[in-house]
Amino acid sequence: MRFYLFLAVHAVILMCFCLESGEGVCENKNLTKACKKRSFVQLILTKHLPTFNENPKGICRWLKELKHQSGLCKRRRGLAEIINATRELTLNSCTHDFQYEQWPCLRLKRIFKKVYRETSFVYSLTTSAFMWLVARACAAGTLEDCACAATPGKHSGAHAHVNVTAGGWRWGGCGDNTKFARRLTYKFFQLKKKGDKAQNILRYNGEVGVKIVIRSEQKVCKCHGLSGSCTYRTCFKRLQPFTVITEELKSRYHSAERISSDNDLWRPLNEKEWRDEEKDTTDTLRYLDTGPNWCQFTVGRRCKDTDNCATLCCGRGVRLGQRTIREPCKCRWRNDTAYQVVCEQCDKEETVYHCQ
Amino acid sequence: MPGTILENLSGKKLSVLVTILLTFQIACFLVGLIAPSPATSQGILTTVCVDRDPKNKEINRWFTRSCPTQVHLSDRQSTAGLDANNLVFVAEMPHYSFDYSRWQQNLMGILQIDMVYQEDQKLLDPVMELTLDARLAYSDKDINKGKTPWQYYAHSEVKRYMECTFDEKSAHNDKNGYPYDCGMVPLFELGSLHHDYYLLNLRLPYNRTANKNVGLSRLEDVHIHTIHMNGGFTKVWVALKTFFFPIIIGIMVWFWHRVHILNRTPALLEYMLMSLGATLAFLNLPLEYLTLSFEMSYMLILSDIRQGVFYAMLLSFWLVFAGEHMLIQDHGEKNSLKLYWKHLSTIVVGCFCLLIFDLCERGVQLVNPFYSIWVTPIGTNLALSFIILAGISASIYFIFLCYMIWKVFRNISLKRAVLPSMSQARRLHYEGIIYRFNFLMLATVICAAVTVISFILSQVSEGQSKWDENMELELSSALHTGVYGMWNVYICAMLMLYAPSHKQWPDDPICNDGEEVEFSRLPTEGTANEISSLTSFAAKTSMD
């Protein structure tokens, strides 16, 4: 009897070891007892990424522990570049937008231990970035046959893989890039798949990211018909710069709501409910665990103004300093810089705030 | 005395005819359901290429998507040391491995310029002037499934106005790099899509002294949205035309034959009906087949003219139709168009204005596809004044028409009061005529209402993207084919019902059986120059 117990314990340890190998430590005891596989978002934001300058497909091999994503990455031409860009865009826009927040979009490894407010945010941000980049790559023509993957009407299909033939293009033209991007994002992040509660809630946040990209798009219509009148009217979507999406998500970060772990308020939505909810403009980010107190990390951080310092420094007070900085000034649009704005450098006295 | 078929047709035959026409009508609508939406758009993000030799004016120097040096505008390093005149925005149309089919008819390009706010820069003017140096080239498939070299198609330096707003509230505290909300700029319009591939090379030349592109902010992206007709829609549309063309020709021949059998000169309404039929036949003539083998860039202007002539004729017909049934025939001589010169001049003026406007915009586009009348203040004022003038004449026309119709109905109700004093047969006869006249008036009103409703519906159905994405139905095409079929059916019905009656010619193919009880003709009234006994009735009662 004791022998069997011994064996069983060994087997469990062995299993855990196998699962864990190369994936870091799983500390998420709250959510799942077993060791947890890292998600794509966690991997892309936390694992060190070598540069794949010559071979963009290298990232597909780098993703090999995620069978689903690396498979897609290898199969579809152009997706590897998007994955690379997703990481860059997510990190850049996150750190840029959160430089005066208590959580400066750093310590990413730490936030993936549980489902914090920050975890939910980066999850939805990554999903948005991915979808936005897919839609953009479609418009640039760098992703394999995307816009024509779903022609409205006869040739539409529920899968992201259906290609429109030349005949289909001649008959009904190409479909909408956003719809394709949404479908590919759902497929890539497996947003429809049901998992444990933590995974479900992260996927829900991913869906919020998708919805925000969809909502950020502007519909533009053009009349063309008899003498340019509106007998025919064709509409198309206009992709907004990603800054708009980040701003929107940032405000959701602040209004995120906590779902208590023992009270299962949240359940996965079915197709119809999702559509109903898509119209609802107030979908919020949701998280499970109260995050770490970021106040302890704000000592010495720079803050912007009195209002910002009050929150950022957690009431510890501000250290004021005067300094002279060289700042761009007298900016104007100039010929010799290829549609860039050129500024002169001026000296400017400035008050700098730092948290104590 | 000849009446029209409408008056002599029994209720049963009329209902059979109406059923047949309704079947055609429903078939037209259903055919539209097969078709895809009338047009689709394709968004293209331009590739930014570097032109190392911007002074070179050689026109056949084309930059393609695979140009040697490409830059990303968001990446400051890659544009360092470059001049604004160095950059070429390249769009290859269509996207991917597709090529344009001639069934796709025409192509429109709309420019979207994304600009971002730069810290410390003055906010842009809400309306800015753009100077665009745009070049179009074409290429075709060659035998080995490759592309022929790019050939020059058009080149122009044009001005456009772009509206840009900056939403300071939503940009929160960090305005740097936040985008401007800029409007779309129409760029070009090709009347025929003759070639397989098109290439756009766009430059935004900068020149401070010539005030070119001086008010821009930092550019992030330049998109081109192309809109072309769908091949499937054109096929269905042309099929519909091909189907209706021989039918309308046949009915016209039959109608004219009937008129000429009579020993009288045709009445005004018969001339009007013939011309209406002719304009419909002209509209139905499937000229689109020719675009499959010839480059007909004037196709857009031609189809505008065809539709315009048809609408003008339809409006004139209504006017004359109402006038001829005014029931006040105070003079015995033959009615002529001269009586209606006041009313018809509104149509002539309106259509003439629209024609000039169309020729100014689309006529010039034949030579320069980048031309737009709306960019210069003079052009805008000219275009607006023509459109306003057309609108004014349209309103005057409708006031005239409504007044005339109101008069007809008032006269009818006045004459109705006299009806009980008539003999049984005569009363039934006239009641029948008035009923059928009202019926046709009703048909006209229904047709007009359906057209307006379907126009509104087709505008709304463009917002269908929020519906189920796998929805197979394409409503806007069905609405277009339905309305088109409706006017065909309407005019066919007019030609058939207002043709002279078969009464004296029992071997008529349309209504050859005389078994139904028909109202006996009244021998005493009518003169040879009146085509309908309704009008003769009116003449008689007004004498009473």
Side-chain angles (χ1 to χ4, degrees):
Chain A
M1 186 61 202
R2 183 177 278 191
F3 175 65
Y4 283 118
L5 201 71
F6 181 69
L7 261 184
V9 167
H10 259 264
V12 167
I13 291 169
L14 211 68
M15 259 171 65
C16 250
F17 184 74
C18 289
L19 281 169
E20 260 184 58
S21 57
E23 291 182 22
V25 203
C26 320
E27 288 176 35
N28 204 342
K29 295 185 189 72
N30 192 15
L31 307 167
T32 35
K33 292 283 179 285
C35 298
K36 214 172 139 271
K37 213 173 112 181
R38 282 199 281 187
S39 69
F40 170 76
V41 180
Q42 184 179 5
L43 197 69
I44 199 99
L45 295 182
T46 57
K47 195 174 160 184
H48 171 72
L49 185 71
T51 44
F52 305 104
N53 282 336
E54 306 84 52
N55 180 19
K57 287 265 177 197
I59 200 165
C60 303
R61 272 198 307 283
W62 181 78
L63 277 172
K64 64 182 182 297
E65 68 181 84
L66 304 168
K67 279 211 175 57
H68 177 75
Q69 280 85 357
S70 78
L72 277 175
C73 174
K74 279 175 196 155
R75 276 201 300 276
R76 196 174 272 272
R77 188 171 55 79
L79 197 58
E81 287 87 345
I82 288 178
I83 294 169
N84 263 319
T86 304
R87 174 193 156 97
E88 211 168 290
L89 183 63
T90 311
L91 290 177
N92 285 349
S93 47
C94 182
T95 42
H96 178 261
D97 259 45
F98 277 73
Q99 54 179 326
Y100 295 120
E101 299 285 323
Q102 285 191 357
W103 170 66
C105 204
L106 292 173
R107 295 167 212 279
L108 289 166
K109 275 199 174 113
R110 189 188 168 110
I111 63 162
F112 280 104
K113 285 175 184 166
K114 287 183 179 180
V115 185
Y116 302 128
R117 187 193 284 261
E118 290 75 23
T119 328
S120 300
F121 172 76
V122 291
Y123 206 91
S124 55
L125 186 67
T126 315
T127 324
S128 306
F130 181 83
M131 181 170 163
W132 187 82
L133 285 163
V134 168
R136 201 182 131 89
C138 283
T142 50
L143 188 64
E144 201 172 31
D145 46 51
C146 56
C148 286
T151 314
K154 276 179 85 141
H155 301 275
S156 73
H159 308 293
H161 269 318
V162 181
N163 296 343
V164 163
T165 55
W169 147 255
R170 279 164 194 202
W171 179 265
C174 273
D176 182 6
N177 284 337
T178 323
K179 280 179 185 167
F180 169 80
R182 186 175 89 182
R183 227 175 287 147
L184 186 64
T185 311
Y186 262 78
K187 195 178 165 150
F188 190 82
F189 286 88
Q190 297 170 292
L191 292 181
K192 285 268 161 62
K193 201 173 144 187
K194 293 198 174 72
D196 60 36
K197 194 171 168 180
Q199 286 167 338
N200 283 345
I201 220 147
L202 285 177
R203 283 184 186 133
Y204 162 82
N205 290 317
E207 287 189 326
V208 172
V210 170
K211 282 180 222 171
I212 285 176
V213 177
I214 290 173
R215 226 175 283 135
S216 79
E217 289 200 313
Q218 270 180 348
K219 199 171 104 174
V220 184
C221 293
K222 173 80 186 161
C223 287
H224 53 110
L226 177 66
S227 295
S229 69
C230 250
T231 30
Y232 297 120
R233 190 156 164 265
T234 306
C235 298
F236 49 88
K237 301 276 181 51
R238 173 188 177 161
L239 206 60
Q240 295 274 26
F242 195 66
T243 333
V244 181
I245 295 161
T246 325
E247 286 283 345
E248 184 63 40
L249 276 172
K250 190 179 155 190
S251 73
R252 310 259 154 148
Y253 163 80
H254 288 297
S255 61
E257 61 183 26
R258 185 173 168 233
I259 305 294
S260 91
S261 19
D262 42 271
N263 176 12
D264 199 359
L265 283 171
W266 187 79
R267 68 210 146 72
L269 297 163
N270 63 32
E271 185 87 357
K272 196 181 173 301
E273 281 173 292
W274 195 88
R275 293 209 186 291
D276 289 344
E277 198 152 299
E278 198 176 3
K279 293 184 192 108
D280 180 18
T281 47
T282 58
D283 44 0
T284 46
L285 292 178
R286 285 162 183 172
Y287 62 99
L288 281 174
D289 308 277
T290 322
N293 185 7
W294 298 109
C295 278
Q296 51 181 311
F297 302 109
T298 62
V299 180
R301 283 264 307 277
R302 194 183 156 186
C303 44
K304 203 161 59 180
D305 48 36
T306 345
D307 279 353
N308 175 246
C309 292
T311 43
L312 188 62
C313 306
C314 311
R316 282 190 311 267
V318 188
R319 183 158 39 83
L320 288 173
Q322 292 285 326
R323 67 164 189 188
T324 319
I325 47 154
R326 291 185 74 79
E327 241 194 10
C329 65
K330 294 178 187 160
C331 296
R332 64 185 181 279
W333 196 85
R334 261 193 25 202
N335 180 27
D336 44 287
T337 47
Y339 309 109
Q340 305 277 7
V341 172
V342 161
C343 306
E344 286 171 28
Q345 297 290 315
C346 314
D347 289 335
K348 193 180 159 193
E349 278 287 294
E350 194 196 45
T351 318
V352 220
Y353 305 88
H354 283 279
C355 290
Q356 282 180 355
Chain B
M1 198 306 304
T4 64
I5 284 180
L6 172 69
E7 293 152 47
N8 289 327
L9 209 56
S10 72
K12 194 176 161 193
K13 279 183 194 162
L14 190 66
S15 61
V16 169
L17 190 64
V18 167
T19 318
I20 292 169
L21 293 175
L22 275 181
T23 320
F24 272 113
Q25 170 60 64
I26 291 164
C28 284
F29 183 79
L30 291 179
V31 156
L33 289 180
I34 311 169
S37 62
T40 33
S41 69
Q42 198 173 42
I44 299 170
L45 179 67
T46 54
T47 313
V48 188
C49 290
V50 177
D51 180 3
R52 294 279 174 209
D53 186 16
K55 295 271 189 299
N56 190 343
K57 293 290 179 215
E58 160 72 35
I59 204 76
N60 258 322
R61 226 156 44 94
W62 298 103
F63 292 88
T64 61
R65 272 182 55 198
S66 49
C67 58
T69 19
Q70 298 181 6
V71 289
H72 294 279
L73 290 180
S74 52
D75 178 12
R76 281 186 175 223
Q77 260 72 50
S78 69
T79 56
L82 287 175
D83 189 292
N85 295 325
N86 280 130
L87 301 189
V88 186
F89 299 92
V90 173
E92 277 182 42
M93 302 166 275
H95 238 309
Y96 315 106
S97 52
F98 296 118
D99 58 275
Y100 284 123
S101 144
R102 285 177 190 173
W103 286 103
Q104 285 165 340
Q105 296 289 304
N106 48 51
L107 186 71
M108 211 181 339
I110 299 154
L111 188 66
Q112 172 198 333
I113 297 181
D114 287 342
M115 281 192 288
V116 294
Y117 175 78
Q118 189 87 350
E119 213 161 26
D120 276 355
Q121 198 202 5
K122 208 177 76 194
L123 273 182
L124 295 184
D125 294 337
V127 177
M128 67 174 76
E129 193 185 279
L130 290 171
T131 308
L132 308 165
D133 174 285
R135 294 166 195 208
L136 264 181
Y138 69 88
S139 156
D140 286 298
K141 274 186 282 194
D142 65 8
I143 321 129
N144 315 319
K145 297 217 165 185
K147 282 184 192 179
T148 57
W150 292 107
Q151 288 287 318
Y152 170 84
Y153 188 84
H155 170 220
S156 185
E157 191 175 284
V158 286
K159 277 202 168 78
R160 290 286 188 273
Y161 289 99
M162 185 163 72
E163 284 173 32
C164 285
T165 51
F166 190 70
D167 188 3
E168 297 207 42
K169 280 193 199 93
S170 68
H172 296 299
N173 35 37
D174 192 27
K175 288 191 205 127
N176 195 17
Y178 202 79
Y180 281 97
D181 186 10
C182 292
M184 295 278 172
V185 181
L187 186 63
F188 65 88
E189 196 160 0
L190 298 181
S192 76
L193 205 49
H194 190 71
H195 301 286
D196 290 331
Y197 311 98
Y198 288 87
L199 173 73
L200 176 76
N201 278 4
L202 187 75
R203 288 172 176 86
L204 292 164
Y206 173 88
N207 192 337
R208 180 161 281 282
T209 47
N211 226 25
K212 283 180 185 169
N213 292 329
V214 283
L216 302 187
S217 181
R218 209 183 124 189
L219 253 70
E220 283 255 304
D221 279 323
V222 175
H223 288 258
I224 300 283
H225 296 274
T226 58
I227 296 177
H228 57 78
M229 300 302 280
N230 275 330
F233 180 75
T234 314
K235 280 177 188 168
V236 169
W237 194 252
V238 173
L240 213 61
K241 284 181 158 192
T242 321
F243 174 76
F244 274 117
F245 182 65
I247 291 183
I248 188 81
I249 291 286
I251 291 177
M252 273 169 71
V253 167
W254 170 80
F255 179 86
W256 207 232
H257 175 69
R258 298 288 298 247
V259 171
H260 271 273
I261 284 177
L262 301 172
N263 281 327
R264 61 172 172 89
T265 50
L268 176 62
L269 208 53
E270 282 162 352
Y271 276 123
M272 292 304 281
L273 274 168
M274 268 310 278
S275 340
L276 185 60
T279 52
L280 182 67
F282 182 49
L283 184 66
N284 276 339
L285 186 68
L287 281 177
E288 283 82 353
Y289 287 121
L290 294 178
T291 59
L292 300 182
S293 35
F294 304 106
E295 178 155 18
M296 298 163 73
S297 45
Y298 46 85
M299 206 49 204
L300 272 179
I301 197 163
L302 188 64
S303 67
D304 278 359
I305 289 174
R306 289 205 288 177
Q307 283 188 60
V309 166
F310 171 70
Y311 287 132
M313 199 58 226
L314 189 62
L315 296 180
S316 324
F317 170 74
W318 283 341
L319 208 65
V320 174
F321 180 80
E324 293 292 282
H325 290 80
M326 200 72 98
L327 315 188
I328 30 164
Q329 308 254 304
D330 42 358
H331 39 74
E333 81 268 28
K334 192 166 148 349
N335 274 349
S336 71
L337 274 182
K338 280 178 196 148
L339 276 177
Y340 300 101
W341 72 269
K342 256 184 288 176
H343 314 73
L344 289 177
S345 59
T346 59
I347 300 175
V348 171
V349 168
C351 287
F352 192 67
C353 288
L354 284 181
L355 179 70
I356 290 181
F357 164 69
D358 215 64
L359 285 175
C360 284
E361 170 103 352
R362 289 199 165 152
V364 182
Q365 274 174 0
L366 291 181
V367 189
N368 175 12
F370 298 104
Y371 179 81
S372 168
I373 196 171
W374 299 102
V375 288
T376 56
I378 303 166
T380 309
N381 290 341
L382 199 73
L384 274 180
S385 49
F386 277 129
I387 288 172
I388 289 168
L389 212 58
I392 290 171
S393 26
S395 346
I396 296 173
Y397 165 80
F398 275 104
I399 291 168
F400 269 136
L401 186 67
C402 291
Y403 174 68
M404 283 171 101
I405 288 172
W406 173 76
K407 250 174 131 178
V408 172
F409 275 111
R410 203 195 53 176
N411 284 344
I412 283 180
S413 62
L414 275 178
K415 299 306 177 322
R416 259 208 189 118
V418 201
L419 278 176
S421 61
M422 294 178 186
S423 70
Q424 175 81 357
R426 186 185 285 190
R427 195 169 53 94
L428 278 176
H429 178 71
Y430 288 127
E431 274 178 349
I433 297 165
I434 291 172
Y435 165 72
R436 280 166 194 167
F437 173 75
N438 288 347
F439 178 80
L440 225 72
M441 279 307 290
L442 189 72
T444 309
V445 170
I446 288 174
C447 281
V450 166
T451 309
V452 171
I453 290 168
S454 66
F455 174 75
I456 295 166
L457 269 182
S458 70
Q459 304 291 308
V460 173
S461 77
E462 271 307 325
Q464 57 134 1
S465 53
K466 58 180 174 289
W467 298 353
D468 193 342
E469 63 177 86
N470 291 325
M471 207 178 85
E472 300 276 326
L473 278 183
E474 182 46 59
L475 206 59
S476 64
S477 291
L479 290 171
H480 277 114
T481 55
V483 168
Y484 190 73
M486 187 181 73
W487 288 111
N488 268 289
V489 163
Y490 173 83
I491 283 155
C492 287
M494 287 296 228
L495 277 170
M496 286 192 285
L497 294 175
Y498 278 79
S501 171
H502 70 287
K503 195 74 171 140
Q504 287 89 333
W505 308 276
D507 55 336
D508 184 290
I510 290 270
C511 334
N512 53 356
D513 52 341
E515 69 205 30
E516 272 97 352
V517 182
E518 289 180 1
F519 302 115
S520 58
R521 310 296 311 180
L522 302 166
T524 49
E525 63 207 22
T527 47
N529 59 8
E530 285 157 337
I531 60 150
S532 101
S533 33
L534 181 65
T535 44
S536 58
F537 157 69
K540 185 181 179 297
T541 43
S542 60
M543 277 184 276
D544 293 345

